[in-house]
Amino acid sequence: MSAIPEVAENDYDSFAEAYAAENEASLINAYYTRPAILNLAGDVSGRRILDAGCGAGPITENLRDRGAIVTGFDSSAKMVELARKRLGDDADLRVADIGSPLPFPDGAFDDVVVALVLHYLEDWSGPLAEIRRVLKPGGRLILAVNHPIGYKLLHPEADYFETVKWNDEYTFSGQNAVLTYWHRPLHAMTDAFTAAGFRTAVVSEPPPAPEAYELFPEELAGRKAFLSFLFFVLEAV
């Protein structure tokens, strides 16, 4: 009997199209994460921004539409292909891994956006050091990660203070997928930021976009906000 092939963790190439289609207009992505990132970014006209882990490129597109000069990369070649379809052949998009040295010079960017990427990684020290390197002094890192309390709510028996690997099952546009995360407590996040040369300027637990309450009445009935992700703005010092 032949061995069953091991499935790669977080293999976005295998469900890229389904993931992108599902999240194009979803509450969590289109009406929560993306508006929160854009609100934190503020006026980006003329700013050089790196979208690290750009996926199919919706945030990259939003930032470009607001006047930013945007570069994007993702470890999934299929995601980069989808982003190029969205943004055009002249868009600066690359296949690269946030866990490896980045193909950009020192101080190349005013801002780096890392939306829903770091929680896939056990080690944050290398990626944060590389992000700090490609940011100019005083530049901003705008990021979103799984809210650390979410793991404890899903697994009440777990030790919140441990850095722990866990996974969850999803259905994206009818296609099943399993995503693997690393939970870490809040203090471990902020300690990593400080060690990499960042100052924490903003910690945010935002509500969804105002129009979400009409579009998703059942999900948001009686709720002003919900726990999902935690958002930060960090300054390179």
Side-chain angles (χ1 to χ4, degrees):
M1 180 183 295
S2 59
I4 299 173
E6 184 176 342
V7 178
E9 290 183 353
N10 304 320
D11 182 14
Y12 273 90
D13 279 345
S14 68
F15 54 84
E17 291 184 351
Y19 178 87
E22 177 79 18
N23 291 319
E24 189 67 27
S26 70
L27 169 60
I28 291 295
N29 290 79
Y31 294 94
Y32 175 61
T33 305
R34 297 204 287 270
I37 291 289
L38 295 172
N39 287 339
L40 291 171
D43 182 5
V44 295
S45 181
R47 295 182 71 84
R48 299 165 299 160
I49 301 181
L50 176 64
D51 189 0
C54 65
I59 291 177
T60 318
E61 182 179 45
N62 292 154
L63 292 168
R64 187 180 69 176
D65 289 347
R66 293 176 176 219
I69 303 159
V70 191
T71 297
F73 76 84
D74 201 278
S75 61
S76 165
K78 185 63 178 177
M79 281 294 192
V80 173
E81 178 186 324
L82 294 174
R84 195 168 298 285
K85 288 180 181 178
R86 175 191 292 268
L87 297 162
D89 291 338
D90 60 340
D92 187 0
L93 299 169
R94 313 183 193 191
V95 177
D97 190 339
I98 198 170
S100 302
L102 299 177
F104 309 108
D106 296 358
F109 300 100
D110 299 300
D111 302 312
V112 176
V113 171
V114 186
L116 311 184
V117 177
L118 288 180
H119 50 219
Y120 294 126
L121 307 178
E122 179 181 11
D123 175 37
W124 284 14
S125 58
L128 287 173
E130 272 296 278
I131 291 167
R132 175 63 187 85
R133 180 185 66 79
V134 303
L135 269 172
K136 72 176 188 180
R140 300 179 302 171
L141 169 55
I142 303 164
L143 65 92
V145 294
N146 283 339
H147 199 299
I149 201 63
Y151 171 72
K152 183 65 175 176
L153 292 174
L154 288 170
H155 303 279
E157 76 289 351
D159 184 349
Y160 168 84
F161 295 100
E162 291 293 323
T163 298
V164 179
K165 188 178 184 180
W166 66 287
N167 57 54
D168 206 355
E169 298 180 358
Y170 299 86
T171 301
F172 300 121
S173 298
Q175 183 173 345
N176 294 331
V178 176
L179 295 181
T180 299
Y181 305 108
W182 283 90
H183 160 78
R184 52 182 26 86
L186 178 59
H187 79 269
M189 297 182 186
T190 57
D191 287 352
F193 300 152
T194 302
F198 290 100
R199 182 183 74 85
T200 300
V202 177
V203 181
S204 179
E205 297 169 313
E211 59 269 30
Y213 297 94
E214 279 190 32
L215 293 169
F216 303 93
E218 293 183 9
E219 293 92 328
L220 296 174
R223 304 168 70 184
K224 293 182 179 179
F226 51 85
L227 279 172
S228 182
F229 304 129
L230 192 57
F231 297 79
F232 298 90
V233 178
L234 311 176
E235 296 176 353
V237 297

